[in-house]
Amino acid sequence: EDQVTQSPEALRLQEGESSSLNCSYTVSGLRGLFWYRQDPGKGPEFLFTLYSAGEEKEKERLKATLTKKESFLHITAPKPEDSATYLCAARSNDYKLSFGAGTTVTVRA
Amino acid sequence: NAGVTQTPKFQVLKTGQSMTLQCAQDMNHEYMSWYRQDPGMGLRLIHYSVGAGITDQGEVPNGYNVSRSTTEDFPLRLLSAAPSQTSVYFCASSYSGQVIDEQYFGPGTRLTVT
């Protein structure tokens, strides 16, 4: 059974304090690892897609990386506006998409 | 473009009532889907459609029906509401019909069944 696990569940950071979020996955033949950002009361917003181990993508203070078993979302020098829940999802070779429960990040000024 | 729109934003139902959650997109996307989001759980796929006239079941389809008569609209029907269907429902769309690329999500409908 496909499974995606995110850790930690919650992360509280001081502004400027860099950290990483983890997304561990077990899916049949990965066909894409997705990261989304979700603000309270809103729908998820697409951030990145990674397709193969070793791939990296960056957007502002966020960088996503991928290995054969997990993905990391690195937040460098976060600002309060980076506070959100970050979701990852893995797509298997039969194109099913499995979401993790998310990591809620709070950045204090 | 309005993107993906959902109505209503909030809804309270009594057990046994039926209702339709509306979803529309103006991006000419082939793929549309419905998810539910519950605390501590990932988004779970209810039903999806790879194009007008084509629908299929996802992970948790029981108690829900869908239809796709046009590319733009993908309504979700609750046949006989149950407290277990209390959740936040998200509609999403994606350009490709056969391969799920990054999805665009609507703002969600928060449903409470008493």
Side-chain angles (χ1 to χ4, degrees):
Chain A
E1 183 180 328
D2 298 339
Q3 196 165 3
V4 176
T5 304
Q6 292 188 247
S7 62
E9 289 185 15
L11 189 61
R12 294 177 66 87
L13 301 172
Q14 200 68 34
E15 184 172 4
E17 177 188 1
S18 301
S19 189
S20 295
L21 285 56
N22 177 267
C23 172
S24 298
Y25 63 90
T26 52
V27 300
S28 304
L30 185 72
R31 290 292 182 267
L33 189 292
F34 300 83
W35 282 98
Y36 287 85
R37 170 191 170 124
Q38 186 173 23
D39 292 305
K42 296 190 176 181
E45 178 184 349
F46 171 76
L47 291 173
F48 305 109
T49 309
L50 302 167
Y51 290 102
S52 56
E55 189 176 357
E56 299 182 352
K57 288 194 176 173
E58 287 187 69
K59 181 179 180 180
E60 296 181 356
R61 294 175 294 282
L62 301 177
K63 184 169 88 171
T65 61
L66 182 65
T67 72
K68 290 187 177 181
K69 294 184 177 180
E70 50 193 357
S71 178
F72 294 93
L73 184 66
H74 307 278
I75 309 178
T76 302
K79 297 183 177 182
E81 53 261 43
D82 295 321
S83 297
T85 295
Y86 292 88
L87 307 174
C88 77
R91 186 174 70 199
S92 62
N93 58 7
D94 61 357
Y95 301 110
K96 291 182 180 176
L97 194 63
S98 300
F99 278 86
T103 294
T104 299
V105 175
T106 304
V107 182
R108 296 169 291 175
Chain B
N1 286 351
V4 180
T5 58
Q6 291 183 238
T7 56
K9 195 166 179 62
F10 300 95
Q11 183 70 49
V12 179
L13 291 178
K14 294 186 186 302
T15 298
Q17 288 184 317
S18 62
M19 79 159 294
T20 299
L21 307 185
Q22 301 292 343
C23 173
Q25 52 90 10
D26 61 358
M27 297 174 283
N28 201 32
H29 284 173
E30 292 290 334
Y31 182 90
M32 296 186 74
S33 56
W34 276 101
Y35 292 89
R36 59 178 290 172
Q37 187 174 41
D38 301 294
M41 303 183 72
L43 287 160
R44 291 183 291 167
L45 183 65
I46 304 171
H47 285 285
Y48 66 96
S49 168
V50 298
I54 306 169
T55 63
D56 206 347
Q57 296 181 351
E59 181 185 355
V60 288
N62 292 342
Y64 308 95
N65 272 356
V66 292
S67 60
R68 184 95 179 270
S69 57
T70 67
T71 299
E72 295 78 21
D73 300 299
F74 191 43
L76 177 73
R77 280 181 287 277
L78 278 70
L79 309 173
S80 177
S84 61
Q85 294 179 305
T86 294
S87 188
V88 182
Y89 291 84
F90 290 101
C91 178
S93 73
S94 175
Y95 179 73
S96 298
Q98 298 301 321
V99 177
I100 307 169
D101 295 328
E102 56 265 27
Q103 296 186 76
Y104 295 81
F105 284 81
T109 294
R110 185 174 295 273
L111 175 68
T112 302
V113 182
T114 61

